[in-house]
Amino acid sequence: MDRLQLPQTERSPLVDFDFDRQQLRLEGESYPEDAAAFFGPLIAALDRYLERLRAEPPASALIVDLRLAYFNSSSAKAFMNIFQRLEAAARDGIEVRVNWHYQTDDETMMEFGEDFREDFQAARFELCVFD
Amino acid sequence: MPIATQYFDVHQRMRDQGVIFSFVGYVSEGILFSLGEALKQKMRLEETDANVTKRVFSIFVEQVQNIIRYSAERLHADSGTPAEMSSGLITVGRDATHFFVVCGNIVGRSEGEDLRVRLDELVRMDPDTIKSYYREKLREPPEAGSRGASIGLIEIARRSTRPIEFGLTELDADRAFFCLKAYI
């Protein structure tokens, strides 16, 4: 699969899905005009990729890094969709690690991280503070 | 009344109510973005606490996206492109103790009743209940035809530091004016 890369814009996050290195990165703010249109292709790619990993489990973990400053409720819904897929894959034996990066003192992003963390059992979900 | 007097009066009345800006008319996603940038800039210049700015901005985005998606007065592009403009009212301001974000738009009668039921429920919830309700809704598959509003309203209630206020006033047999005010 070809690496999926989208540049960061004022309203949508940077997306870098490096399938060969097993890394997915999202960075920035997220309140696109149409969240379904923005996240749809990413979720479709994730589905194809997880299917591939299920067929040939990799030796190392799939690493997902999220570093978001703000997102709207439609984007939160999309993140939940992504997380549910990652947790399901982890339950099937694929090692998944999600790093939720948030800036010190950012109460909203910390709270979202704590909320999302409760949905993970099989996958590892870490809160990572940065300055 | 001379026009300068007339409009200064409008201007003055708004300022007296603590209005930072107010917009009446057709809103689009482009207008949402520009007003949002102006709002963040204003709050930065006034050295507003970053967490307060985020709450205000977050409520502002959800409120305006609700107008764009649900106003009964809307214009569609003929070409079939997803350009959408919907009529409504957006006011952001600050009183002695709180920032506030008010949005209003015309809704169909049944949508209005639906909103009333949802918001009555939210108004009665305490912050912890709102938080767990949000988590529950986030996990559910989207409701048919909803375009995400149920979670948007919960987000507004959750980011408000005081209970949200809302109202509906009947315009005719089919339509009502709906408004929602949140405080931060």
Side-chain angles (χ1 to χ4, degrees), chain B residues 47-114:
Chain B
E47 295 177 357
T48 312
D49 176 84
N51 285 308
V52 173
T53 302
K54 276 200 180 185
R55 277 173 181 261
V56 173
F57 182 70
S58 169
I59 290 175
F60 168 80
V61 170
E62 301 298 335
Q63 289 256 48
V64 179
Q65 287 191 324
N66 278 346
I67 296 179
I68 295 172
R69 292 167 190 178
Y70 300 105
S71 170
E73 290 180 294
R74 59 190 337 150
L75 300 171
H76 285 286
D78 290 333
S79 59
T81 51
E84 207 173 5
M85 290 195 94
S86 303
S87 185
L89 156 90
I90 307 156
T91 298
V92 181
R94 185 178 201 173
D95 62 22
T97 54
H98 290 76
F99 283 96
F100 58 85
V101 181
V102 190
C103 275
N105 58 270
I106 293 175
V107 293
R109 202 191 181 108
S110 63
E111 287 82 3
E113 281 314 307
D114 192 42

Side-chain angles (χ1 to χ4, degrees), chain A residues 10-11 29 31 33 69-70 72-74 76-77 80 84 105-107 111-112 115 118-119, chain B residues 29 32-33 40 51 54 57-58 61-62 65 69 131 134-135 137-140 151-152 158-159:
Chain A
E10 286 160 322
R11 303 185 55 168
E29 299 199 0
Y31 58 115
E33 288 191 20
Y70 164 72
N72 69 347
S73 62
S74 317
K77 197 99 191 169
M80 183 50 86
Q84 285 172 332
D105 301 330
D106 188 339
E107 292 165 5
E111 200 186 355
F112 268 118
D115 271 11
E118 289 182 35
D119 283 84
Chain B
E29 286 283 344
L32 158 85
F33 177 73
K40 282 195 280 191
N51 285 308
K54 276 200 180 185
F57 182 70
S58 169
V61 170
E62 301 298 335
Q65 287 191 324
R69 292 167 190 178
K131 194 172 160 175
Y134 181 92
R135 290 173 46 81
K137 284 285 174 189
L138 204 55
R139 277 162 194 75
E140 279 178 8
I151 198 92
R158 187 178 174 183
R159 300 285 153 226

